[in-house]
Amino acid sequence: MPSWTDTVRFAFQPVVNLTTGGVAALEILARPEAGDILAQARRDPELDGRLAALAIRSAAHKETLLPLHVNVFAGTLADLGGLAALREAVREAERLPWEVTIDIGPPYTHVPQHALLEAVTALRREGFRICADGVGDGDVPLRLLTDLAPELMKLDVSLLTRPAAVRAMRTLCEQLGALLSVEGVETESQCAAAVSAGAQLAQGELFAPPARLPAADVYVPALSPGVASMQRSGPSVRQFVRPAALLPATASAGRVRALLTGSPDVSGVLLVDPSGIPVRSVHRSRFLLSLSGRYGHALYSDRPAAKLGDPPRTVGVDATAWEVLDVVADGERDRTSDDVAVVDRYGRCVGVVRLADLVRALAESRVEEAAGLNPLTRLPGSDAITGEVDRRIADGRMFALTWLDVDHFKQVNDGAGFAAGDELIRAVGRALQHAASGATHVGHIGGDDFLVLADPDTLDPLATSVLDTPWSAGGRTVTLSLATVLCAPGSVTDHRQAAACLAPLKQAAKALNGASWVLGRAGLPGHEIRRGSGAAPAQPSGQTLTG
């Protein structure tokens, strides 16, 4: 009598890294040839658990080295807890648990949440990774999503038409330390929207359709994440993680050689202890060169590969690209091409990064950044500031947006000359940069106009620094005007609205005599004169604005 397993085949769909353009993992999808076994699995946890185990065995037959994503219904985890059949299949396939991500899918209705969270804790303790699947197209409660604390969150592509929802999910991912992926991407415009939304991963027909054999090549449009997506300290290493080729620390040189010769795209192998912690790093070229000598194969084939490896170079998952470059620069010069292992908080390897990926991305970001700099002050223009304003609005952070300019600047240029005017502008820019602290962003938006984005409690020191400085150009005394709008969470929807709130404050500041500073609050009438004719008494020393 035919078994239900005879009617199920499995297809593989790549999960693509949007930064490197490489395949980060493979999702294994059940494809029944007859009947609706997936609907049965939704109602039958035992069947769903066996399907997940069968998916792992199917991948083992394809001999893929890529990390795997396996789909399991939330109800299955709550009922079965540890997924014994899946764990056994992983062991039989000689895969490590942290090479397998459990994609937990809806429905969540009527699923005992406490039992689900206990099961997730048990799987995570063994090293399995957790993904919240179908977010935006399922019924996952937001509180449960937070309690799950997944390593990866997969958004349905339909959410891309709702930017506010995507920004909220991206913020949640940042708080949880999770990666963001978009599934179901079919067009280049959807791919561009996913990149713009801050997603690190994606999958869909655009890149490669599900296929019986793991895809060797995928299509990724030529996209640049832009300067706006780069953190001030550099892009996160998470954007560049590639799958790692892992073998036990006891693996023989012959086994490593077989892996390398059978997988030409693998640049090196990491030897890990039973906990998944890298202990030795085997570089492809140096290893194969050692075995290619006259007696190399005879000498090393059956000996531990660790003898031909080097101490691994590692960085944490929260590192930036610049920190990776520091690790490479501090090491031996002949190891600059070695992969750098990325490890989680337990020291377990989650992937590798390649120097070439980092250098290319950082070079591109510097070119884009340079193109956006004002040629006179070398400060970023308005796009960089307004982009950061929108991010703070999305994050629900209070901020202060300040406009600054030189009073009667045309008269300065006419009386002192353009060279003196240019030098004054450069000096003001340098003073603003010097006074900036922490998360303060300074931009030169043209002519004598500057924008400063800062936390409210840094306003007083910055304003005092630039307003109390005696300014002159060509022997002529010069004063500055400042206008600040405080934006509390929910008071503005985007940078355009913040700028609209700032406009009347600029006019009020310019109407005052001498160095002036006017402050208002978005959504509230009126303003406070902090400097200039009719200025309010100075605040006691040490008092700052907190909104």
Side-chain angles (χ1 to χ4, degrees):
M1 183 176 179
S3 168
W4 63 267
T5 58
D6 296 331
T7 67
V8 178
R9 298 292 181 266
F10 290 91
F12 302 86
Q13 185 168 49
V15 179
V16 175
N17 185 313
L18 292 173
T19 299
T20 66
V23 179
L26 294 171
E27 181 175 352
I28 314 173
L29 303 168
R31 291 289 186 262
E33 295 182 347
D36 193 353
I37 198 171
L38 295 180
Q40 298 176 44
R42 187 180 293 113
R43 300 187 298 268
D44 184 347
E46 291 286 349
L47 175 58
D48 192 33
R50 293 199 298 272
L51 268 176
L54 195 60
I56 293 294
R57 293 190 175 97
S58 174
H61 293 155
K62 300 298 188 293
E63 297 183 343
T64 176
L65 297 173
L66 289 166
L68 305 173
H69 284 246
V70 182
N71 293 285
V72 176
F73 291 112
T76 298
L77 278 182
D79 283 358
L80 296 185
L83 292 177
L86 173 65
R87 299 203 314 271
E88 180 60 29
V90 170
R91 282 193 293 269
E92 289 177 0
E94 296 186 339
R95 300 299 294 257
L96 298 169
W98 38 93
E99 295 180 277
V100 178
T101 298
I102 310 295
D103 286 12
I104 306 175
Y108 288 84
T109 304
H110 307 307
V111 172
Q113 295 189 10
H114 183 70
L116 174 60
L117 293 174
E118 283 189 340
V120 166
T121 299
L123 287 169
R124 188 175 274 132
R125 190 181 300 120
E126 291 194 30
F128 290 96
R129 304 190 181 281
I130 303 299
C131 166
D133 199 1
V135 176
D137 194 38
D139 60 345
V140 54
L142 186 58
R143 185 176 65 183
L144 177 61
L145 188 61
T146 304
D147 291 342
L148 283 173
E151 283 78 21
L152 174 64
M153 203 179 296
K154 287 187 178 181
L155 302 187
D156 186 79
V157 71
S158 62
L159 273 191
L160 293 177
T161 61
R162 299 165 175 82
V166 177
R167 286 197 300 269
M169 289 298 102
R170 185 191 67 196
T171 300
L172 180 58
C173 284
E174 290 172 353
Q175 295 294 321
L176 296 175
L179 294 177
L180 184 65
S181 181
V182 177
E183 53 186 353
V185 175
E186 297 181 349
T187 66
E188 293 195 7
S189 62
Q190 289 175 338
C191 182
V195 173
S196 178
Q200 295 95 353
L201 305 171
Q203 61 189 105
E205 296 279 342
L206 174 68
F207 310 107
R212 293 291 174 84
L213 293 176
D217 298 303
V218 294
Y219 169 74
V220 181
L223 296 170
S224 172
V227 178
S229 67
M230 298 294 184
Q231 303 171 14
R232 293 188 72 194
S233 55
S236 168
V237 73
R238 294 171 184 266
Q239 299 179 30
F240 305 95
V241 173
R242 290 176 176 266
L246 305 178
L247 285 177
T250 55
S252 67
R255 185 175 178 184
V256 172
R257 181 178 182 276
L259 188 155
L260 291 174
T261 55
S263 307
D265 292 335
V266 173
S267 55
V269 176
L270 286 172
L271 305 178
V272 296
D273 68 11
S275 298
I277 298 173
V279 294
R280 301 294 282 179
S281 174
V282 177
H283 184 267
R284 180 187 189 91
S285 298
R286 293 198 300 273
F287 175 83
L288 293 178
L289 186 62
S290 297
L291 263 65
S292 64
R294 185 174 181 182
Y295 302 109
H297 189 271
L299 283 174
Y300 295 113
S301 181
D302 295 325
R303 300 182 66 184
K307 294 185 177 295
L308 295 175
D310 300 289
R313 292 175 168 177
T314 62
V315 294
V317 292
D318 295 322
T320 67
W322 292 110
E323 290 174 295
V324 178
L325 293 183
D326 289 340
V327 169
V328 174
D330 290 342
E332 300 170 28
R333 185 167 298 180
D334 62 350
R335 294 190 60 193
T336 54
S337 62
D338 287 22
D339 293 341
V340 176
V342 181
V343 298
D344 63 15
R345 58 178 176 165
Y346 302 108
R348 300 178 305 206
C349 180
V350 300
V352 295
V353 290
R354 295 180 180 175
L355 182 62
D357 289 337
L358 302 183
V359 171
R360 181 171 58 252
L362 292 173
E364 289 173 353
S365 73
R366 285 294 179 258
V367 170
E368 291 181 7
E369 183 180 9
L373 297 181
N374 186 286
L376 184 61
T377 59
R378 308 304 294 168
L379 288 171
S382 60
D383 287 348
I385 303 297
T386 55
E388 181 61 27
V389 167
D390 285 338
R391 280 190 289 278
R392 296 198 185 193
I393 292 172
D395 293 343
R397 296 171 57 187
M398 186 170 184
F399 62 89
L401 186 62
T402 297
W403 163 86
L404 176 148
D405 83 340
V406 178
D407 295 328
H408 312 297
F409 184 65
K410 184 178 185 303
Q411 297 178 19
V412 173
N413 267 343
D414 291 345
F418 288 107
D422 286 350
E423 180 53 39
L424 173 63
I425 294 301
R426 281 191 287 265
V428 171
R430 288 194 296 268
L432 286 171
Q433 284 183 294
H434 181 74
S437 61
T440 301
H441 296 256
V442 178
H444 183 191
I445 60 176
D448 62 324
D449 291 318
F450 293 85
L451 272 180
V452 180
L453 176 63
D455 292 334
D457 58 3
T458 65
L459 282 176
D460 279 345
L462 186 143
T464 299
S465 175
V466 295
L467 292 180
D468 287 353
T469 298
W471 297 102
S472 64
R476 302 166 64 96
T477 299
V478 174
T479 58
L480 308 180
S481 292
L482 277 74
T484 299
V485 60
L486 291 177
C487 298
S491 63
V492 291
T493 58
D494 59 21
H495 69 269
R496 297 176 184 85
Q497 191 172 0
C501 294
L502 189 58
L505 301 177
K506 293 164 55 177
Q507 295 178 3
K510 296 300 290 184
L512 298 174
N513 295 321
S516 60
W517 180 21
V518 167
L519 182 144
R521 289 169 172 78
L524 297 178
H527 60 265
E528 175 188 354
I529 299 175
R530 303 298 305 277
R531 289 286 189 98
S533 296
Q539 291 182 333
S541 177
Q543 184 174 347
T544 58
L545 278 167
T546 60

